[in-house]
Amino acid sequence: MSDKLMKLTLKIWRQKDADSPGKMESYQVEGISEHMSFLEMLDVFNEQQINQGNEPVAFDHDCREGICGMCSLQINGEPHGPDRGVTTCQLHMRMFNDGDTITIEPFRAKAFPVIKDLVVDRTSFDRIQHAGGFISVNTSGNTQDANNIPVEKENADKAFDAATCIGCGACVAACKNASAMLFVSAKVSQFALLPQGKIEAKDRVLNMVHQMDEEGFGNCSNTGACEVECPKGISLENIARMNREYLKASLTKE
Amino acid sequence: MSVLDAKVPEGPIKDKWTNHKNKINLVNPANKRLIDVIVVGTGLAGGSAAASLAELGYKVKAFAFQDSPRRAHSIAAQGGINAAKNYQNDGDSIYRLFYDTVKGGDYRGRESNVYRLAEVSANIIDQCVAQGVPFAREYGGLLDNRSFGGVLVSRTFYAKGQTGQQLLLGAYSAMNRQIGKGKIEMYNRHEMLDLVVVNGKARGIIVRNLITGAIERHAAHAVVLATGGYGNVFFLSTNAMGSNVTAAWRAHRRGAYFANPCYTQIHPTCIPRSGDYQSKLTLMSESLRNDGRIWVPKNKEDVEKIRSGQIKPRDLSEEDRDYYLERRYPAFGNLVPRDVASRAAKERCDAGYGVNQTGEAVFLDFSSAIERYGKEQANVLGEKDASHDRIIALGKEVIANKYGNLFQMYEKITADNPYETPMKIYPAVHYTMGGLWVDYNLMTTVPGCYAAGEANFSDHGANRLGASALMQGLADGYFVLPYTIGDYLADEIRTGAISTETPEFDEAEKAVKDRINELMSIKGSQSVDSFHKRLGKVMWDKCGMSRNANGLEEAIKEIRQIREEFWKDLRIPGKANEFNPELEKAMRVADFLELGELFAKDALHRNESCGGHFREESVEESGEQQGEAKRDDENFKYVAAWEWTGDPGEANLHKEDLVFENIELKQRSYK
Ligand SMILES: Cc1cc2nc3c(=O)[nH]c(=O)nc-3n(C[C@H](O)[C@H](O)[C@H](O)COP(=O)(O)OP(=O)(O)OC[C@H]3O[C@@H](n4cnc5c(N)ncnc54)[C@H](O)[C@@H]3O)c2cc1C
Ligand code: SF4
Ligand code: FES
């Protein structure tokens, strides 16, 4: 394929481990095609580093198709980079130009400590889910026939939209307060919109919000930055719904 | 060579599972608390197993190499999950799902397991809906279905193009409930590197903490491996980057037989590769074949013009297009099974009709569907005189509703808009039907070591039908293992806690540490990826969509060479006792380099074509099926289960004869 290759300057956050201080370092990378994904560009960069006897840069990734939520880079100051509606692994180099300088940092938040270089620990998200991100049914399969629980299509679709959150944490990284409201509200909304989820709705929202605060995420001041950067288009409506659910639950609980 | 006993229960096929459940041993609730179970993997199979076992009362430890159970490779499944609900009243039944699966697998699966799978399938949907999985619904509020390749009914449940995500998040939520209660201890970013066998029984695992590099021992009364498939032996596949064979391979080296390693599914609809830097291939869900029509130009001159951009695909008139699947397989058309569709694409491209620069692409075209849906929608809206533009706009909306995220994914990767121009697709490695041999109870040949999900070989024969992997993973984890493991554990209630301070754990830990030290001390000049790519190329060229004896023999030699070079000239930067992704990859590739050889050996020994395994020496030479794959039931109607003897090339073959009592063996025809 005829294709002109780009030369780029990368400014990358390097940090040995959680306890060491980190700093930005500058590198050159050559031979980058516009058809590469951003992570393939980093693969090429790492291969060059290894061949030169240097340590490659560590970053998280797995599915490379925008669904596992593992990739998590702050690119030129934006979580998942300049394109909209995509994760880092779906970002392509055609968004950049020959000669560009690109800064690459980890997602930053108190609740996401750095493990190494660009890899952060997002288990705080899991702990919020442990606190209530489920419906308490056993997995026996001895439930009622699936079609005995009809769900209005509109609600089913909204619940689905909320459920498409991939747990990447871009919303937190985008927020000046490092708030996790968009992430938590997506789960709360999915269940609040379904008849199956209504039964435990009050406990769920109270417990999840409590855990979110415990983990050290900041408060929501309605800047809307999270929605802009969310690769899955999770809507601010979910935050509004969670606030209503929370209010309802706090007023009627005991 | 011995004959393997699959422990299939007696009785008519439709009663086997019920009878078995009635007869097997149970563990009483108080005793379950005394029993530890390790579950490696938290995809659909492992996640559902861990949650269910914890719910039953066992003490569960679960492991995954990702940073959260929710990120297992299952998350990426797109199109849907099958279940014999017959909600569409189109003639579906347990028997039909059973039949379709056995036939789709080209009669190389075990009847009893497949029947059980079909039997429990309906319950999976009930279970998932109760958990809040937001499946697609119709306006009346009931569940919607679509159809998938290789079948004539609509039995696939889906959540847009994110079915795997929604099902995995369901299993993850069930796990979270148990983690919250303290009944599952979850070990994220931990990789299993060996199985520990004590007195012939699986008693634990050795893992590496991927953050600190520490080597840890974990003991249990039973070990479940739900570690997924090994398609990444090809380097390029639709699997997630981390998907690997290590857990299964290490169990194999400790005595678990590896079954049918050469059975690989090459999926027909993936985005073609664009360059050498390519790190993985992206699937475009099979569900697209419901509405997309596959074609290449009829004439070579048009191929050239399309490649060079002189004409656009849409400029070509209907008469100048070759809808080759509709032409060759009128009964199933674009919905033939995957292996058939893939080979047909390869046949056209090898003949010079590929539509991109590399010559390895065919079109998947939605224009007819857009127009058809547009007209339907205009009628629904009462717009009798809708203009063509209006119809197309309405049609695009319908398509966007069904496949929006896939179309977006395609456009992000290729910069082409599939609403306006046909997609370009080509086959890619996608799924491995082979895996650890298991009996009816899902136990491997190592007592107490179970395998579930894609990691085992059990249900799909030589070819898996679309939307059946998710079904199998959840069936294994939610409904099969929780029963069958009790049968084994009932004898363990007096065993007491398993100690990790035994010679067997010492030995296994030492073996892992030695392996790591050896890898780290090579200090050669070539990266892990460079070896992995070379292995992948050999696999693709010689063990890919079509195979022959010559090529396979060469493959075996070449893989051995690459393996030798790997152990002499590998370079791993950094240290072993820290977060080190290069070391992680190296350990996986080391195992792929052994598996690859066994794979080729298995493919070489199976001198027949069946399902995804196509041997050029075995094709129909005349008649209606001329040129199609030719199975050889007389000589190969068995499962090939390989025993480790110290070298992959020297593996011992064991056979499980396949008995077909409920389905007549036939030439698989989709004409
Ligand atoms: C792109 C794509 C789309 C698909 N679409 C469909 C579809 O629509 N319908 C369908 O039925 N099937 C589909 N499939 C197939 C299906 O997704 C998989 O076969 C299935 O999800 C496998 O599930 P699993 O639980 O067996 O393993 P996986 O989901 O692969 O999980 C493996 C688990 O094991 C862990 N693991 C692996 N090795 C180790 C180790 N050494 N130590 C510790 N942990 C380890 C991983 O961390 C992970 O948790 C698709 C596959 C792909 C690639
Ligand atoms: S809400 Fe969006 S940005 Fe936040 S975790 Fe979910 S997908 Fe990521
Ligand atoms: S690597 Fe999975 S979302 Fe990016």
Side-chain angles (χ1 to χ4, degrees):
Chain A
M1 228 167 273
S2 64
D3 178 10
K4 78 171 186 356
L5 298 177
M6 293 185 261
K7 199 170 158 181
L8 304 163
T9 303
L10 304 179
K11 293 197 163 150
I12 306 178
W13 181 261
R14 302 306 300 258
Q15 181 172 342
K16 193 175 171 317
D17 54 34
D19 304 324
S20 313
K23 63 169 191 300
M24 298 298 289
E25 303 238 13
S26 225
Y27 306 87
Q28 305 292 319
V29 62
E30 299 181 13
I32 301 304
S33 145
E34 61 166 1
H35 299 296
M36 286 181 190
S37 72
F38 196 82
L39 296 185
E40 283 166 349
M41 181 277 289
L42 284 181
D43 292 342
V44 170
F45 170 74
N46 273 347
E47 184 78 19
Q48 292 174 3
Q49 291 300 307
I50 294 170
N51 290 337
Q52 289 162 20
N54 300 329
E55 260 214 53
V57 55
F59 58 90
D60 261 332
H61 64 108
D62 198 26
C63 73
R64 296 209 176 184
E65 51 188 64
I67 193 75
C68 73
M70 194 100 183
C71 62
S72 55
L73 303 179
Q74 188 89 354
I75 301 163
N76 287 343
E78 281 186 90
H80 298 306
D83 203 356
R84 288 288 165 263
V86 296
T87 53
T88 297
C89 59
Q90 292 175 299
L91 179 67
H92 272 69
M93 294 313 291
R94 60 181 81 92
M95 297 294 293
F96 300 89
N97 298 311
D98 189 27
D100 277 1
T101 296
I102 307 176
T103 63
I104 312 173
E105 294 168 88
F107 280 1
R108 303 227 186 247
K110 189 170 128 223
F112 292 166
V114 171
I115 291 174
K116 180 174 183 174
D117 295 341
L118 303 170
V119 176
V120 297
D121 178 355
R122 284 167 290 184
T123 44
S124 47
F125 266 15
D126 281 329
R127 289 188 293 271
I128 297 174
Q129 301 288 351
H130 302 160
F134 48 80
I135 290 172
S136 297
V137 289
N138 278 353
T139 64
S140 63
N142 298 323
T143 53
Q144 53 189 325
D145 183 87
N147 261 350
N148 283 344
I149 319 176
V151 185
E152 209 187 317
K153 185 164 165 49
E154 197 189 321
N155 282 341
D157 287 349
K158 277 194 192 153
F160 170 80
D161 287 342
T164 58
C165 162
I166 57 173
C168 62
C171 45
V172 175
C175 176
K176 65 178 169 46
N177 311 318
S179 162
M181 285 290 273
L182 196 62
F183 167 75
V184 180
S185 71
K187 199 73 213 166
V188 166
S189 288
Q190 176 196 345
F191 289 144
L193 284 159
L194 296 172
Q196 307 91 300
K198 292 234 156 63
I199 300 143
E200 299 165 282
K202 286 181 190 166
D203 283 336
R204 178 178 305 114
V205 68
L206 295 175
N207 292 341
M208 290 182 79
V209 168
H210 174 74
Q211 188 64 34
M212 172 177 86
D213 294 340
E214 288 282 291
E215 296 290 344
F217 290 102
N219 291 325
C220 172
S221 56
N222 293 315
T223 65
C226 52
E227 187 189 47
V228 176
E229 300 294 351
C230 171
K232 296 294 141 182
I234 303 295
S235 144
L236 287 176
E237 254 179 57
N238 292 302
I239 297 189
R241 186 177 297 105
M242 177 161 90
N243 284 335
R244 289 197 300 276
E245 291 281 321
Y246 187 80
L247 193 66
K248 211 163 55 184
S250 345
L251 291 177
T252 53
K253 199 73 191 174
E254 263 110 351
Chain B
M1 193 189 82
S2 71
V3 174
L4 283 163
D5 178 8
K7 306 216 173 72
V8 175
E10 295 298 311
I13 195 144
K14 62 179 194 352
D15 302 329
K16 282 185 198 289
W17 179 230
T18 311
N19 288 347
H20 190 58
K21 281 194 292 184
N22 289 341
K23 281 196 202 130
I24 55 184
N25 291 317
L26 300 178
V27 183
N28 93 31
N31 283 331
K32 286 193 184 117
R33 274 183 298 230
L34 307 175
I35 292 189
D36 297 293
V37 181
I38 283 174
V39 179
V40 189
T42 61
L44 286 181
S48 57
S52 305
L53 293 171
E55 233 168 58
L56 286 172
Y58 297 109
K59 287 195 291 175
V60 175
K61 281 184 177 181
F63 296 81
F65 64 76
Q66 293 92 348
D67 69 339
S68 163
R70 68 178 293 155
R71 308 209 202 279
H73 164 61
S74 293
I75 200 88
Q78 300 173 349
I81 176 166
N82 289 330
K85 277 283 196 192
N86 195 24
Y87 280 163
Q88 305 303 324
N89 200 19
D90 57 359
D92 200 9
S93 63
I94 291 174
Y95 181 83
R96 190 176 280 278
L97 174 52
F98 160 63
Y99 174 83
D100 286 343
T101 309
V102 171
K103 174 185 171 194
D106 217 357
Y107 307 90
R108 290 292 175 264
R110 189 188 290 148
E111 271 194 347
S112 55
N113 285 52
V114 179
Y115 195 90
R116 174 177 64 191
L117 175 64
E119 203 177 337
V120 303
S121 66
N123 253 341
I124 298 175
I125 304 303
D126 300 339
Q127 175 63 44
C128 293
V129 167
Q131 279 168 351
V133 171
F135 285 120
R137 287 176 184 270
E138 294 168 344
Y139 281 97
L142 302 182
L143 294 165
D144 193 17
N145 290 114
R146 53 169 61 143
S147 47
F148 253 58
V151 303
L152 297 169
V153 294
S154 275
R155 62 160 75 98
T156 305
F157 294 79
Y158 67 100
K160 275 204 186 155
Q162 290 111 299
T163 315
Q165 179 193 30
Q166 296 309 319
L167 294 173
L168 183 61
L169 292 180
Y172 168 68
S173 74
M175 277 186 82
N176 284 335
R177 184 167 161 241
Q178 301 304 323
I179 295 173
K181 288 181 181 173
K183 289 173 145 188
I184 299 179
E185 258 180 84
M186 182 66 218
Y187 292 82
N188 298 314
R189 293 201 199 262
H190 277 69
E191 181 141 341
M192 168 181 162
L193 296 176
D194 213 344
L195 179 74
V196 183
V197 180
V198 182
N199 293 331
K201 291 178 171 175
R203 291 304 198 193
I205 58 175
I206 305 292
V207 299
R208 179 166 179 270
N209 176 330
L210 300 182
I211 298 180
T212 63
I215 302 299
E216 302 170 5
R217 305 174 178 196
H218 294 272
H221 296 83
V223 175
V224 177
L225 301 180
T227 46
Y230 51 85
N232 278 347
V233 66
F234 286 83
F235 184 69
L236 285 181
S237 82
T238 62
N239 289 8
M241 300 298 287
S243 298
N244 69 86
V245 77
T246 288
W249 192 252
R250 291 288 137 190
H252 172 58
R253 293 183 52 135
R254 294 279 178 190
Y257 294 179
F258 210 106
N260 304 329
C262 79
Y263 288 170
T264 311
Q265 177 158 82
I266 309 225
H267 196 294
T269 54
C270 303
I271 301 180
R273 65 184 84 190
S274 67
D276 293 337
Y277 48 77
Q278 192 98 27
S279 59
K280 75 156 280 169
L281 295 169
T282 303
L283 176 76
M284 287 286 106
S285 166
E286 172 160 315
S287 59
L288 294 173
R289 282 200 275 146
N290 272 309
D291 287 315
R293 297 176 68 197
I294 295 181
W295 64 276
V296 292
K298 252 187 206 152
N299 306 311
K300 288 239 170 104
E301 306 84 78
D302 292 331
V303 172
E304 278 313 316
K305 286 188 199 149
I306 284 180
R307 284 187 191 172
S308 63
Q310 267 168 284
I311 56 169
K312 297 217 159 54
R314 291 255 159 116
D315 298 340
L316 223 58
S317 67
E318 282 295 308
E319 307 80 73
D320 291 328
R321 302 175 178 197
D322 177 13
Y323 295 95
Y324 57 86
L325 288 176
E326 298 170 30
R327 167 169 62 77
R328 287 179 62 181
Y329 307 99
F332 282 72
N334 291 296
L335 285 175
V336 291
R338 294 175 176 175
D339 54 333
V340 177
S342 290
R343 277 198 296 278
K346 179 173 167 21
E347 189 277 327
R348 282 295 77 193
C349 290
D350 287 352
Y353 292 89
V355 296
N356 68 356
Q357 300 280 334
T358 63
E360 293 196 331
V362 300
F363 288 127
L364 177 63
D365 195 338
F366 295 88
S367 49
S368 321
I370 289 175
E371 194 164 333
R372 176 164 42 87
Y373 284 126
K375 282 187 187 146
E376 250 175 60
Q377 197 57 15
N379 283 338
V380 170
L381 298 173
E383 301 181 18
K384 290 244 156 40
D385 306 315
S387 67
H388 183 73
D389 285 354
R390 172 71 180 151
I391 286 174
I392 297 300
L394 288 170
K396 283 182 186 164
E397 267 174 40
V398 176
I399 291 285
N401 257 323
K402 291 186 143 187
Y403 312 114
N405 75 313
L406 297 171
F407 275 49
Q408 187 228 16
M409 203 193 278
Y410 183 86
E411 184 168 359
K412 288 292 174 194
I413 293 175
T414 62
D416 270 349
N417 176 351
Y419 294 98
E420 304 297 340
T421 182
M423 287 183 177
K424 287 182 196 145
I425 51 157
Y426 197 67
V429 172
H430 178 61
Y431 181 90
T432 46
M433 282 74 68
L436 293 176
W437 185 89
V438 289
D439 65 13
Y440 188 74
N441 295 318
L442 304 185
M443 186 151 46
T444 67
T445 48
V446 176
C449 177
Y450 291 78
E454 195 174 337
N456 73 26
F457 88 105
S458 71
D459 295 346
H460 307 294
N463 174 56
R464 175 175 69 76
L465 289 182
S468 285
L470 302 183
M471 168 172 74
Q472 183 224 334
L474 289 180
D476 287 358
Y478 282 140
F479 303 133
V480 178
L481 258 179
Y483 283 100
T484 58
I485 207 170
D487 194 34
Y488 174 82
L489 292 173
D491 291 333
E492 294 287 339
I493 51 180
R494 274 178 221 67
T495 309
I498 308 288
S499 165
T500 56
E501 299 307 317
T502 59
E504 290 85 356
F505 272 94
D506 292 345
E507 184 272 324
E509 181 181 311
K510 182 167 180 306
V512 166
K513 287 185 166 161
D514 288 350
R515 196 158 80 245
I516 292 175
N517 286 340
E518 194 178 342
L519 284 166
M520 295 303 298
S521 55
I522 302 172
K523 298 199 189 315
S525 67
Q526 302 177 57
S527 70
V528 185
D529 281 358
S530 66
F531 286 106
H532 197 176
K533 285 183 184 177
R534 279 166 61 192
L535 170 66
K537 183 158 171 26
V538 174
M539 296 299 297
W540 181 248
D541 290 346
K542 299 184 171 155
C543 314
M545 264 187 284
S546 103
R547 305 157 177 184
N548 61 52
N550 260 345
L552 290 166
E553 275 159 12
E554 281 167 22
I556 291 174
K557 276 198 215 112
E558 289 169 26
I559 295 167
R560 291 188 83 99
Q561 269 164 15
I562 301 173
R563 193 164 73 226
E564 269 168 36
E565 207 178 314
F566 174 90
W567 284 97
K568 277 194 203 121
D569 196 30
L570 175 69
R571 172 182 294 183
I572 307 176
K575 296 193 203 66
N577 60 352
E578 63 180 9
F579 187 87
N580 190 339
E582 289 297 311
L583 173 59
E584 291 166 29
K585 285 194 285 186
M587 307 214 61
R588 295 172 192 158
V589 172
D591 290 337
F592 278 139
L593 283 164
E594 294 182 357
L595 163 80
E597 184 178 345
L598 183 66
F599 185 123
K601 184 181 166 76
D602 183 46
L604 180 62
H605 113 282
R606 190 171 283 278
N607 190 11
E608 67 159 347
S609 294
C610 60
H613 171 64
F614 184 74
R615 279 292 295 267
E616 288 159 17
E617 296 92 336
S618 187
V619 292
E620 296 291 345
E621 307 209 322
S622 59
E624 199 203 348
Q625 301 288 334
Q626 191 181 8
E628 300 290 325
K630 185 172 160 200
R631 227 176 46 227
D632 177 357
D633 292 330
E634 205 167 306
N635 294 304
F636 292 101
K637 190 172 61 61
Y638 61 78
V639 177
W642 300 92
E643 178 191 6
W644 175 258
T645 59
D647 182 302
E650 304 297 322
N652 246 342
L653 176 64
H654 299 262
K655 294 180 183 174
E656 177 196 339
D657 186 39
L658 292 167
V659 183
F660 294 91
E661 289 170 335
N662 299 278
I663 293 181
E664 187 198 345
L665 277 164
K666 271 206 229 150
Q667 151 84 285
R668 205 168 48 133
S669 168
Y670 293 94
K671 298 257 179 194

